[in-house]
Structures are given as structure tokens and as C-alpha cells.
């Protein structure tokens, strides 16, 4: 069984198999976030669910996860990262099984909250353990694999969801998208017990309970109305919650400054956020994950809408994107060594070319598009996105001391999960609004792609500041 060591101990190390085991803990939660998309129509029919309830199937998972990731990172620093990883993995396995057995939509929504919450205990331990045990090229490669897990998980989720729903094995239909987690989780769980070492901070820091409550409330006030508002016609409660986001954010920030000033451990220490590299890195993360999450959501709606693709065809359209992520993950360390932090700016530029190309194809051929006609643009988008995402985690984590590795990991994953949900809500609302115009769904999706390309171009000079941080 793996030994227990402190984070700063030189004996704490990870074998390649241990790294892959941990990466499974990053891959599965993202897979579960995206695999559900293609199953929503079937869930709606089978469980007699409204559109608002179907949005909550996605939203409750993302909100619960985003609320608790920073807390999960802090708990791992204090009580042991492997311990929290195993607790999270065991709970995630159980809730995945229960989600697949859900008898009605109400039960499924409650179980999705539990699934997202347990994922929040598991995921931050991955980056934190890597940061605490590896250095040099090994660390760069492992962090790159973590980034790749997010992109590949998103693409594979759409592909696998389409395959499973279309196969309808034993008449299980949408339930398979939850059941598929169980054998993978069990394998990762057993491997983690045997080969992943225990690490934790030398000095145990108390968890900032008030800060956690304020952060969680702020995220609920932001994400819940954005997820449900459009489907419900923007009732008063959604507007009131959105209006409370700014004061809640200020209240949380003030509490964090006071907590750190009196020498107590803040949930999100302002001193860490003041680091130039952390500020730039998190800003880039917000822009990237919001646009990426919005693109995936709008693309799925359009291709399975007017384009008439089946869930399987829609899923296969993401295959070139997933392949690009895989290639970038393999050569990530060599590319970072050659280009340094400028690799992120190069990724934005390549990604912009991909989105523009995809938009032109959609504008020209819609609705006669399919996996083959979109293959090249999706390949370029995946390559550029990989060059942004994979080095980004390493750049931000490099700003965080080893004893706060869980904090840095939690901040990144909170940003990732929040912005993927935020992107799906905001970009999705924008897409749906434009799609009702004379442009239709194809024109609306092309406009979304051109908009993301413009954001990518603006991000290039901003990202170059990382070279000077």
C-alpha cells in the first residue's frame, strides 16, 4: 500500500501509473458533466420532465461541484489528499449508480447534487498531489495530462453519450450514461489505494466555514438563475438573485481580507489572488472555460436540431477535437519547453482560426453538415484549445506554495466548473435568442463561433503578459 508522507517530503513521488490513476479523478467529473447533454431528450420523455427540470439535471451538478471544490481542496491539504480522493471517488461511484436507478426527475435532481458534491472532494486532490510530489518535466507532463483530461472528457462525454443512448443496451437508454461510471470508478479507487501516496500540508489549516458559506451562496445566486431563468421566462426570483451577486461578492471579499488580516486561514487568501501570474491565469481561465463551455452547449443544440444529426453523429463530430487534445497532451512538455508561457497566446491564435473556419463551414453548408465536413475545423479548435488549457494549469499552480496546493487546485477547478456552467447559460441564451431570428440555428451557431474567435484574438496580447509575470 502507498506510504503516507508530508507534502514537502522528498520521498513523496508519483509513478506514471499513479499519475494516470489520479487523472481518472479529473476525467470522470468532466465526462459526467458533458455526457448528460445528449441524453436529456430521452430523460425528458422517460421521466416526464420539463425543459426547466432538464436544465437543472445539468445545473445542479455543476453548481454543487463549483460550490465545494475550494473546500475540498482545503480539506485535502489538512486531512490528506489521498484520503479525500478516495472518499470522493467512493461517493461519486455510489451516486452515479443511484442516478442511473432514479425512479423520477425529483430523485435524479437530488442525486445529481450529491454526485457533484462528491466530485468536488475528489477532483482538487489530483492537481494538489501532482504539485506536492512532482517537479520539472514530470510535473509539467502530469499537469498537461490534467488539462487534457478536461478537454478530452468534454469531447468523449458527448461521443460516449451518443453511443450509449443510441445503443440502448438492455433497454436502459439514458441510464447507461450514469452506469458507465461505476466500473471505471471502481478500477481507479482500487488503484489509488495501492499506488497513490498520501500527502498533506505540514501545518493543518482550519477550513474557513463562513467563507465557504459565502462563496457557495454567491455561486448559487449566479448560476441557478442563469441556468433556469430563460426556461422559466425570467421570474422575479431569478432577477433578485442575480441582483444580489455583486453585494454577495463584495461581502465574501471583505470577509476574506479580514480573515487573512487577523492571521486566520482564509478560504481564498487575497494575498494569493494578488500574485500577478495568478490574476492573469485566472482571467484567462474565465475567458477560456466560459467560451469553451458555451461552444459545446450551443454546438450540441444546433447539430441535433436543424442539422438533423442523431446523438451518435453529433457525438462523432467531437472526435477530431478529442484527438487534438490527446496529441497536445502527449507533446505538451516539449512544446512548453520550446515556447514557454507564450504557448498559451499561440493556442488562442490557433483556436481563433479554428472557430472562424468552423463558422464559415456552418454559414456556407448549413444544414448539410456532418462529422466529415466539420472534421478539419474541429481538429484545429481542439489543437488550439489544448495549447491554452494544458499549460494554463501549470502556470497558475506555479504561483501557489506547495503547502497550499489544494487551494490553488480548488481555485482553478472552481473557475473551470463555474465558467463552463456560466458559458453554457450565457452563450446558450445568446445562441437561442439569435436562432429565433432570420439567421436560424446554423447562422446563430456561426455567430457564436465568430464571437468566440474575436475573444480569442483579444486574449492573445493579454496572454503574452504571462511571459513577463
Amino acid at each position: 500500500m502507498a506510504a503516507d508522507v508530508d507534502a514537502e517530503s522528498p520521498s513523496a513521488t508519483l509513478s506514471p501509473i499513479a499519475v494516470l490513476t489520479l487523472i481518472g479523478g479529473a476525467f470522470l467529473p468532466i465526462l459526467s458533466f458533458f455526457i448528460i447533454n445528449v441524453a436529456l431528450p430521452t430523460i425528458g420523455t422517460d421521466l416526464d420532465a420539463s425543459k426547466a427540470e432538464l436544465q437543472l439535471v445539468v445545473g445542479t451538478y455543476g453548481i454543487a461541484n463549483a460550490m465545494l471544490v475550494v473546500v475540498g481542496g482545503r480539506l485535502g491539504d489538512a486531512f490528506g489528499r489521498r484520503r479525500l480522493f478516495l472518499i470522493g471517488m467512493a461517493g461519486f461511484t455510489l451516486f452515479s449508480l443511484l442516478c442511473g436507478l432514479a425512479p423520477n426527475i425529483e430523485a435524479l435532481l437530488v442525486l445529481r447534487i450529491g454526485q457533484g458534491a462528491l466530485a468536488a472532494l475528489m477532483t482538487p486532490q489530483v492537481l494538489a498531489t501532482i504539485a506536492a510530489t512532482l517537479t520539472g518535466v514530470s510535473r509539467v507532463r502530469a499537469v498537461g495530462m490534467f488539462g487534457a483530461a478536461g478537454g478530452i472528457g468534454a469531447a468523449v462525454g458527448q461521443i460516449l453519450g451518443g453511443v450509449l443512448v443510441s445503443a440502448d443496451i438492455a433497454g436502459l437508454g439514458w441510464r447507461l450514461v450514469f452506469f458507465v461510471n461505476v466500473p471505471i470508478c471502481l478500477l481507479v479507487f482500487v488503484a489509488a489505494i495501492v499506488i497513490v501516496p498520501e500527502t498533506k500540508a505540514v501545518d493543518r489549516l482550519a477550513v474557513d466555514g463562513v467563507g465557504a458559506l459565502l462563496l457557495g451562496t454567491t455561486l448559487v445566486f449566479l448560476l441557478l438563475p442563469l441556468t433556469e431563468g430563460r426556461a422559466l421566462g425570467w421570474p422575479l426570483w431569478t432577477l433578485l438573485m442575480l441582483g444580489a451577486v455583486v453585494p454577495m461578492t463584495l461581502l465574501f471579499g471583505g470577509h476574506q481580507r479580514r480573515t487573512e488580516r487577523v492571521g486566520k486561514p482564509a478560504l481564498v487568501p487575497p494575498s494569493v489572488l494578488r500574485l500577478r501570474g495568478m490574476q492573469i491565469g485566472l482571467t484567462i481561465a474565465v475567458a477560456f472555460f466560459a467560451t469553451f463551455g458555451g461552444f459545446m452547449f450551443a454546438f450540441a443544440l444546433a447539430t441535433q436540431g436543424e442539422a438533423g444529426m442523431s446523438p451518435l453523429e453529433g457525438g462523432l463530430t467531437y472526435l477530431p477535437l478529442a484527438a487534438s487534445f490527446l496529441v497536445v497532451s502527449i507533446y505538451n512538455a516539449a512544446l512548453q519547453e520550446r515556447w514557454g508561457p507564450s504557448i498559451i497566446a499561440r493556442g488562442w491564435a490557433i483556436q481563433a482560426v479554428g472557430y472562424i473556419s468552423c463558422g464559415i463551414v456552418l454559414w456556407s453548408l448549413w444544414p448539410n453538415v456532418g462529422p466529415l465536413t466539420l472534421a478539419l475545423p474541429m481538429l484545429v479548435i481542439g489543437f488550439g484549445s489544448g495549447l491554452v488549457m494544458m499549460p494554463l494549469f501549470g502556470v497558475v499552480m506555479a504561483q501557489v506554495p506547495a503547502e497550499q496546493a489544494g487551494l490553488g487546485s480548488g481555485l482553478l477547478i472552481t473557475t473551470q466548473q463555474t465558467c463552463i456552467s456560466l458559458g453554457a447559460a450565457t452563450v446558450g441564451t445568446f445562441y437561442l435568442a439569435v436562432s429565433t431570428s432570420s439567421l436560424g440555428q446554423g447562422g446563430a451557431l456561426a455567430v457564436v463561433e465568430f464571437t468566440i474567435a474575436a475573444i480569442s484574438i483579444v486574449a492573445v496580447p493579454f496572454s503574452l503578459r504571462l511571459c513577463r509575470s
Side-chain angles (χ1 to χ4, degrees):
M1 185 174 291
D4 290 355
V5 292
D6 288 331
E8 289 79 8
S9 170
S11 63
T13 187
L14 290 177
S15 67
I17 297 178
V19 172
L20 288 175
T21 299
L22 286 171
I23 295 302
F27 175 82
L28 286 165
I30 295 293
L31 178 79
S32 292
F33 188 94
F34 284 96
I35 197 173
I36 198 71
N37 283 344
V38 295
L40 289 176
T42 309
I43 293 174
T45 301
D46 192 27
L47 299 184
D48 192 24
S50 67
K51 289 183 179 180
E53 289 171 327
L54 290 177
Q55 283 191 295
L56 278 178
V57 173
V58 179
T60 50
Y61 177 88
I63 292 168
N65 192 274
M67 282 177 59
L68 296 173
V69 162
V70 175
V71 176
R74 279 296 200 192
L75 290 172
D77 288 343
F79 297 103
R81 294 166 186 137
R82 184 185 65 180
R83 179 180 299 173
L84 265 293
F85 181 86
L86 292 173
I87 292 172
M89 182 63 74
F92 185 81
T93 307
L94 175 61
F95 275 95
S96 294
L97 177 62
L98 294 176
C99 282
L101 297 172
N104 52 54
I105 190 63
E106 292 79 14
L108 181 59
L109 292 177
V110 172
L111 293 168
R112 282 286 278 176
I113 293 173
Q115 191 186 29
L118 270 297
L121 296 184
M122 171 176 62
T123 312
Q125 317 314 328
V126 179
L127 265 185
T129 303
I130 289 170
T133 56
L134 298 178
T135 58
V137 174
S138 296
R139 180 172 174 175
V140 170
R141 185 177 293 113
V143 173
M145 290 173 65
F146 180 93
I152 294 174
V156 170
Q158 306 276 51
I159 298 168
L160 185 59
V163 170
L164 292 175
V165 172
S166 299
D168 193 23
I169 300 172
L172 291 172
W174 62 268
R175 298 179 187 276
L176 289 170
V177 304
F178 294 109
F179 290 152
V180 72
N181 288 334
V182 176
I184 304 173
C185 288
L186 291 174
L187 181 63
V188 172
F189 182 85
V190 173
I193 292 176
V194 176
I195 60 178
V196 174
E198 180 66 283
T199 67
K200 56 186 175 182
V202 173
D203 298 319
R204 179 179 296 183
L205 299 177
V207 175
D208 177 10
V210 175
L213 179 62
L214 290 173
L215 177 61
T217 303
T218 303
L219 291 174
V220 170
F221 280 13
L222 173 66
L223 295 176
L224 183 59
L226 286 176
T227 301
E228 288 294 282
R230 181 187 56 80
L232 296 177
W234 298 105
L236 180 61
W237 68 265
T238 62
L239 302 178
L240 291 175
M241 290 182 76
L242 285 174
V245 170
V246 171
M248 284 299 302
T249 302
L250 294 174
L251 184 62
F252 171 70
H255 172 75
Q256 294 301 281
R257 287 191 294 273
R258 288 191 299 273
T259 301
E260 189 173 51
R261 189 165 55 243
V262 299
K264 294 181 179 180
L267 186 71
V268 182
S271 59
V272 173
L273 293 180
R274 283 194 292 268
L275 296 169
R276 177 180 170 83
M278 177 66 77
Q279 291 176 346
I280 296 173
L282 288 178
T283 302
I284 293 172
V286 169
F288 176 79
F289 289 115
T291 54
F292 185 76
F295 162 68
M296 298 290 278
F297 180 78
F299 193 86
L301 287 179
T303 53
Q304 293 184 53
E306 285 182 357
M309 293 189 197
S310 67
L312 179 59
E313 288 175 318
L316 289 177
T317 307
Y318 294 94
L319 190 58
L321 187 147
S324 291
F325 266 104
L326 182 60
V327 170
V328 173
S329 70
I330 293 172
Y331 295 102
N332 177 56
L335 291 172
Q336 284 197 60
E337 185 177 355
R338 178 177 180 180
W339 289 334
S342 71
I343 188 175
I344 295 176
R346 295 169 189 264
W348 281 114
I350 295 171
Q351 174 179 284
V353 173
Y355 280 119
I356 291 171
S357 301
C358 194
I360 292 172
V361 171
L362 292 169
W363 196 276
S364 304
L365 301 179
W366 190 265
N368 300 313
V369 295
L372 291 178
T373 54
L374 294 169
L376 185 57
M378 293 293 279
L379 192 73
V380 177
I381 290 172
F383 188 71
S385 298
L387 292 179
V388 176
M389 185 191 297
M390 294 177 207
L392 182 60
F393 286 96
V395 169
V396 178
M397 288 298 293
Q399 305 293 321
V400 183
E403 66 272 12
Q404 292 186 319
L407 165 65
S409 176
L411 282 174
L412 272 175
I413 298 165
T414 298
T415 302
Q416 180 189 53
Q417 293 289 345
T418 301
C419 290
I420 287 175
S421 300
L422 187 64
T426 56
V427 177
T429 298
F430 172 69
Y431 160 78
L432 290 169
V434 177
S435 67
T436 59
S437 70
S438 59
L439 293 176
Q441 294 181 10
L445 183 57
V447 169
V448 167
E449 305 240 14
F450 293 145
T451 303
I452 297 176
I455 293 171
S456 302
I457 293 169
V458 171
V460 171
F462 187 81
S463 300
L464 289 172
R465 297 182 186 179
L466 283 171
C467 301
R468 301 188 291 272
S469 65

